[in-house]
């Protein structure tokens, strides 16, 4: 399919659908029809992107819109086609989920049209080939997702989340605007081809890198620019949360790759170090934040921050290797990052779907009010468990493979000559391992408190299994988790064209290897075979089941729980989300969150209940955001008198400003 | 490639880890008892315990879900597969390339993940306390283990356990980073196997317990499988230490049949030595408070990181 057809089809189909959604939103079957059509459109776009990724030669179109001399240029090369495939694949399944889930939305008119526009915005970012269209599409994506964040605008908390998101998104776009300004230079060469042809001064390249990191990092949730992400992602309806967390953050990663790997030219070694360290810190802080949450969707959103950190670790390593022309190592690191992009998109969407299903069934997002849902929603519980295992990087599912590849890339880095990297890389490796282990703890908590144990509220006790569209979408993603985990070779090979366009090389072909193993460098060095491991575990489990049921007692007696002889009938005696996280909060949180626990024990004889107060501070907010808020308020107060002037004074001010500007221009050399 | 003998060796290995695991646990218990001047249980008692548990009916809590009943099989299967991938007496295992050391650690993490979930399934406070503490301990033990893997992998140029073992056997000399890795690995092994001073495998009904609290609701064949998996895990860690740090006698592929016999004879000796040292260590120490455990494992993590850093900054030197 040619690009004008791909882009044109997307623009017209999604715009028409958005328009049609306005009247359809008020009918009974309308929302389901709109979501089903969106699923079809996204599926067609995914197929077209897949063909384009396999096709090889980049597709280009130039439209007579946009900037006068540049026009609106679109381009679909291997990198953007790979991302377009991931985005549209996820959008297809998300729309399928929404066919069932979207019915429960109270105000459809606020959600449906923007959903279509949001899909369009993300797709346009991926095909933009000049700075103007890129920023336009980026802002389009931001604004349409903002509208989705404030769908449930009657809740105060959601409005605040929306305001914070809007502020941070504008800030990010501002940084990107300057980044493209630096890249394009004074002559205004805004087309990406012209930018590629330029060679930047070192200081300008550095400036562009930092601006791009801030601009895209604020959208993808890099610490310390992540503060908006958890409230915004959890405020939106669950299918939109899945898109924002699973897909939009990936579009931001695409923006980073496009600017830094493609447009900026040859990297310096310390760029890798900067990105790597930011990634490591983001990964660990993200998962620690996630661990202390007890709102299921907020926990998932914080966990997105962790996974973005892992992706940036891979990208940082790729930059460091590329700076030293170690193409094979850079290819390994870039493949690890891109594979994690795909994997995170799959399992995070799956988990958000599960959280949405739970919310629909019980009306609760707070884990402390849930429990025992595995009995009431067995299918949702099963797929949610698959997602939890995958995101905790446990074999044989997909999350493990991409983290394994990242570890293999780290093990190649002693060959890097710089001392800074020699110290940073092992430390980041330790941070990555720490975040993987903490992620497992986090998802034992998320699954265990929500689905296991006894129901903590009547709402959880009355929950019912979710509808079949939602289940179909969740099972599709769960199957993808398994397939990508046991047959990673196919996915790695499919990512090869994108990796080649990033670092100029690729990993060796994997699918030709015997038994479908993956071997990043050489078999004597490291290899992994998810398929065999899966078969091995299945075989061992079958042997155990067979032997036990052949030779051991088969009798089962149901009885009350043992609990050392002191079972308590009240579900309030179970472990809660807060108590589960308490040991970890105590180990890590005393420094990072300044966690303080206070126990108030009433004196003997008094019948008052004892109280435990936990005080947590978000140091990133305290040190990074609070001063900004104070400064902005201070400046605003200073400028406030300017708002209440007479017309004469305003005219005087305008005149003075004009004169001083002209003076500056006159004096400027 | 001569597949049949390789397949035989792999099969023997899978069988061997199962057959020897209860014996090792029994041996550790006997040595501990003797060191305390007790007579102690017979050496074969763990086998009898397992057989007796298998024969008993399962008493299942009323609100136990399917996950609770599946977990023992998952835990057993993943632990068994992980143990079968470690070269015990021969390195040429036919499937050793399917998972490297990182994957073996992740397999053990999978077993722990499911066990911790099962601890939460019934909804009792004991299960919760066990799961929550187990995950806290794991959150430090696992990165420490990954750092140890980094150290070994950088020395051997491979994360493949067979290759690591062969290179260590061919002699890499005494290195500071290897010493750090060994100490860290022992600390991690103690924590992972719930031994003193981190946890006490012999207690019940004590608020400091971790592993035993998690499996409190299990009975009958389910408990037998979980206990068996714990025994296999102990064997796994001692075999791991042996195959990396005492790799002598481990047979390379294509060796004489006699070499296989020597390897087979040496392996139980290594296990016995490891078990004896463990018992000695455990009797000479008191159990520590649960919030001292992070310090204990923090040492392991720092040692592992230090070992890796040394290798990063001095290629081939230390």
């Amino acid at each position: 399919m040619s690009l004008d057809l791909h882009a044109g089809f997307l623009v017209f189909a999604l715009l028409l659908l958005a328009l049609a959604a306005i009247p359809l939103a008020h009918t009974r079957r309308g929302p389901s029809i709109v979501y089903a059509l969106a699923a079809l459109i996204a599926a067609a776009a995914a197929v077209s992107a897949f063909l384009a990724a396999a096709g090889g030669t980049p597709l280009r179109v130039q439209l007579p819109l946009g900037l006068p001399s540049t026009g609106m240029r679109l381009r679909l090369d291997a990198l953007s086609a790979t991302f377009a495939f991931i985005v549209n694949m996820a959008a297809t399944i998300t729309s399928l989920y929404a066919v069932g889930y979207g019915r429960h939305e109270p105000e459809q008119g606020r959600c449906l049209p923007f959903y279509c526009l949001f899909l369009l915005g993300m797709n346009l970012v991926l095909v933009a080939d000049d700075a103007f269209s890129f920023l336009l599409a980026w802002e389009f994506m931001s604004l349409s997702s903002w509208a989705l964040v404030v769908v449930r605008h009657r809740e105060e908390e959601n409005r605040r989340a929306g305001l914070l998101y809007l502020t941070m998104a504008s800030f990010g776009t501002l940084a990107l605007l300057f980044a493209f300004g630096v890249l394009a230079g004074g002559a205004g060469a805004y087309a990406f081809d012209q930018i590629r042809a330029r060679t930047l001064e070192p200081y300008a390249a550095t400036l562009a890198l930092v601006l791009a990191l801030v601009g895209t990092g604020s959208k993808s949730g890099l610490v310390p620019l992540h503060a908006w992400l958890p409230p915004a992602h959890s405020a939106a309806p669950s299918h939109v949360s899945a898109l924002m967390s699973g897909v939009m953050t990936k579009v931001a990663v695409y923006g980073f790759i496009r600017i830094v790997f493609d447009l900026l030219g040859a990297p310096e070694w310390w760029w890798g170090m900067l990105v790597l360290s930011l990634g490591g810190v983001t990964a660990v802080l993200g998962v620690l934040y996630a661990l202390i949450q007890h709102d299921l969707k907020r926990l998932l959103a914080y966990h997105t921050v962790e996974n973005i950190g892992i992706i940036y670790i891979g990208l940082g390593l790729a930059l460091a290797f590329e700076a030293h022309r170690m193409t094979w190592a850079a290819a390994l690191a870039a493949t690890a990052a891109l594979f994690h992009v795909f994997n995170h998109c799959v399992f995070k969407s799956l988990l958000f779907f599960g959280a949405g299903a739970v919310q629909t069934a019980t009306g609760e997002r707070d884990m402390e009010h849930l429990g025992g849902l595995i009995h009431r929603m067995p299918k949702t519980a099963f797929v949610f468990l698959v997602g939890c295992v995958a995101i905790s990087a446990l074999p044989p599912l997909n999350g493990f493979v991409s983290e394994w590849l990242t570890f293999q890339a780290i093990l190649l880095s002693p060959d890097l000559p710089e001392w800074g990297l020699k110290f940073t890389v092992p430390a980041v490796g330790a941070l990555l391992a720490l975040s993987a282990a903490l992620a497992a703890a986090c998802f034992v908590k998320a699954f265990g408190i929500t689905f296991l144990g006894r129901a903590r509220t009547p709402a959880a006790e009355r929950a019912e299994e979710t509808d079949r569209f939602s289940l179909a979408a969740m099972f599709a993603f769960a199957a993808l988790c398994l397939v990508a985990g046991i047959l990673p070779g196919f996915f790695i090979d499919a990512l090869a064209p994108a990796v080649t366009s990033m670092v100029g090389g690729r990993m060796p072909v994997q699918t030709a290897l015997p038994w479908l193993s993956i071997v990043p460098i050489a078999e004597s060095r490291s290899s992994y075979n998810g398929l065999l491991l899966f078969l091995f575990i299945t075989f061992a489990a079958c042997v155990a089941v067979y032997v036990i049921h052949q030779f051991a007692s088969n009798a089962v007696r149901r009885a009350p729980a043992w609990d050392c002889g002191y079972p308590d009938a009240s579900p309030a005696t179970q472990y809660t989300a807060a108590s589960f996280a308490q040991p970890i909060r105590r180990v890590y949180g005393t420094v990072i969150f300044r966690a303080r626990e206070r126990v108030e024990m009433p004196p003997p004889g008094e019948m008052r209940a004892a109280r435990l107060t936990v005080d947590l501070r978000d140091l990133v907010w305290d040190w990074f955001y609070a001063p900004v808020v104070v400064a902005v308020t201070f400046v605003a107060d200073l400028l406030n008198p300017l708002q209440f002037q007479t017309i004469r004074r305003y005219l005087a001010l305008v005149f003075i400003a004009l004169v001083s500007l002209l003076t500056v221009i006159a004096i400027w050399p | 490639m001569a597949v049949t003998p390789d397949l035989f060796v792999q099969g023997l290995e899978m069988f061997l880890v199962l057959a020897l695991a209860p014996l090792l646990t029994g041996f550790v218990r006997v040595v501990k008892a003797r060191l305390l001047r007790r007579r102690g249980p017979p050496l074969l008692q763990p086998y009898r315990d397992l057989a007796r548990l298998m024969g008993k009916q399962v008493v299942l809590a009323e609100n136990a879900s399917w996950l609770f009943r599946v977990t023992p099989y998952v835990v057993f299967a993943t632990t068994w597969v992980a143990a079968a991938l470690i070269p015990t007496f021969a390195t040429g295992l036919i499937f050793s390339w399917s998972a490297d050391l990182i994957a073996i650690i992740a397999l053990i993490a999978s077993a722990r993940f499911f066990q911790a979930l099962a601890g939460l399934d019934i909804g009792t406070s004991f299960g919760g306390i066990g799961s929550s503490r187990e995950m806290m301990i794991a959150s430090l033990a696992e990165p420490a283990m990954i750092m140890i893997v980094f150290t070994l992998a950088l020395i051997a140029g491979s994360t493949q356990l067979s290759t690591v073992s062969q290179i260590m056997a061919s002699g890499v000399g005494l290195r500071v980073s290897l010493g750090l890795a060994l100490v860290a690995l022992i600390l991690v092994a103690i924590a992972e196997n719930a031994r003193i001073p981190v946890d006490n495998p012999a207690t019940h009904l004590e608020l400091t317990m971790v592993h035993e609290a998690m499996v409190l609701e299990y009975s009958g064949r389910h408990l037998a499988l979980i206990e068996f998996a714990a025994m296999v895990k102990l064997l796994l860690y001692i075999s791991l230490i042996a195959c990396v740090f005492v790799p002598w006698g481990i047979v390379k592929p294509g060796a004489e049949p006699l070499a296989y016999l020597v390897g087979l004879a040496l392996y139980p000796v290594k296990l016995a030595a490891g078990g004896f040292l463990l018992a000695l260590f455990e009797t000479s120490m008191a159990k520590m408070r649960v919030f001292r455990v992070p310090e204990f494992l923090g040492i392991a993590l720092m040692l592992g990181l230090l070992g890796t850093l040394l290798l990063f900054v001095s290629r081939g030197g230390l």
Side-chain angles (χ1 to χ4, degrees), chain A residues 458-481:
Chain A
E461 218 162 318
R462 284 193 306 272
E464 272 177 37
E465 188 57 277
T466 186
D467 60 279
R468 56 183 195 283
F469 290 105
S470 306
L471 279 176
M474 288 192 274
F475 271 96
F477 270 141
L480 265 179
C481 282

Side-chain angles (χ1 to χ4, degrees), chain A residues 224-312:
Chain A
L225 302 167
H226 67 283
W228 65 273
L229 189 147
H233 286 194
S234 53
S238 288
H239 59 299
V240 179
S241 309
L243 274 186
M244 289 181 73
S245 232
V247 183
M248 189 177 71
T249 52
K250 307 307 172 312
V251 177
V253 169
Y254 163 82
F256 179 77
I257 295 176
R258 177 60 74 199
I259 295 174
V260 174
F261 282 83
D262 187 13
L263 302 181
L264 259 180
E268 304 272 344
W269 67 268
W270 62 265
W271 295 5
M273 197 171 102
L274 177 69
V275 176
L276 195 65
S277 333
L278 272 177
V281 172
T282 303
V284 171
L285 277 184
V287 69
L288 281 175
Y289 279 118
L291 257 165
I292 55 171
Q293 304 301 318
H294 47 85
D295 177 326
L296 189 54
K297 282 178 76 176
R298 209 171 258 250
L299 179 145
L300 293 175
Y302 268 117
H303 214 269
T304 297
V305 175
E306 186 229 348
N307 281 283
I308 289 297
I310 296 174
I311 293 168
Y312 273 88

Side-chain angles (χ1 to χ4, degrees), chain A residues 29-296:
Chain A
R29 293 201 165 271
S32 299
I33 295 171
V34 172
Y35 285 126
L37 287 174
L40 287 178
I41 295 168
V47 171
S48 142
F50 185 78
L51 293 178
T57 47
L59 308 168
R60 296 159 180 281
V61 180
Q62 191 165 355
L63 301 174
L65 301 164
L67 287 187
S69 60
T70 318
M72 184 181 238
R73 295 174 191 228
L74 304 180
R75 180 162 174 270
L76 195 65
D77 60 0
L79 183 66
S80 42
T82 305
F83 272 90
F85 172 72
I86 294 175
V87 165
N88 286 307
M89 183 270 306
T92 310
I93 301 180
T94 306
S95 305
L96 176 66
Y97 173 82
V99 172
Y101 172 84
R103 277 198 296 257
H104 307 291
E105 203 54 45
E107 288 175 86
Q108 298 286 358
R110 289 184 166 271
C111 183
L112 276 178
F114 297 111
Y115 180 82
C116 306
L117 295 180
F118 182 38
L119 293 186
L120 180 61
M122 290 195 289
N123 268 299
L124 285 181
V125 172
L126 297 176
V127 292
D129 195 33
D130 65 285
F132 181 75
S133 345
F134 186 93
L135 285 172
L136 196 68
W138 185 272
E139 203 53 9
F140 194 75
M141 172 177 88
S142 299
L143 288 178
S144 52
S145 57
W146 169 78
L148 290 167
V149 167
V150 291
V151 161
R152 295 178 185 165
H153 60 110
R154 293 191 203 287
E155 290 165 39
E156 166 70 24
E157 194 189 346
N158 292 354
R159 286 202 300 274
R160 285 172 58 99
L163 179 63
L164 186 59
Y165 174 39
L166 200 60
T167 317
M168 290 300 288
S170 322
F171 173 69
T173 312
L174 186 70
L176 277 183
L177 188 69
F178 283 124
F180 281 118
V182 172
L183 283 170
Y190 287 110
F192 284 177
D193 279 335
Q194 293 166 309
I195 295 177
R196 274 186 209 103
R198 290 189 68 206
T199 36
L200 288 175
E201 308 273 320
Y203 76 89
T206 304
L207 192 62
L209 170 85
V210 173
L211 286 169
L213 200 57
V214 170
T216 60
S218 74
K219 182 63 86 193
S220 57
L222 215 53
V223 170
L225 302 167
H226 67 283
W228 65 273
L229 189 147
H233 286 194
S234 53
S238 288
H239 59 299
V240 179
S241 309
L243 274 186
M244 289 181 73
S245 232
V247 183
M248 189 177 71
T249 52
K250 307 307 172 312
V251 177
V253 169
Y254 163 82
F256 179 77
I257 295 176
R258 177 60 74 199
I259 295 174
V260 174
F261 282 83
D262 187 13
L263 302 181
L264 259 180
E268 304 272 344
W269 67 268
W270 62 265
W271 295 5
M273 197 171 102
L274 177 69
V275 176
L276 195 65
S277 333
L278 272 177
V281 172
T282 303
V284 171
L285 277 184
V287 69
L288 281 175
Y289 279 118
L291 257 165
I292 55 171
Q293 304 301 318
H294 47 85
D295 177 326
L296 189 54

Side-chain angles (χ1 to χ4, degrees), chain A residues 305-347:
Chain A
V305 175
E306 186 229 348
N307 281 283
I308 289 297
I310 296 174
I311 293 168
Y312 273 88
I313 289 175
L315 294 176
L317 280 171
L319 277 176
F321 287 128
E322 208 196 342
H324 290 284
R325 306 271 179 284
M326 293 164 67
T327 309
W328 42 282
L332 173 58
T335 310
L338 288 187
F339 198 19
H340 203 74
V341 163
F342 174 81
N343 288 338
H344 180 246
C345 170
V346 171
F347 47 62

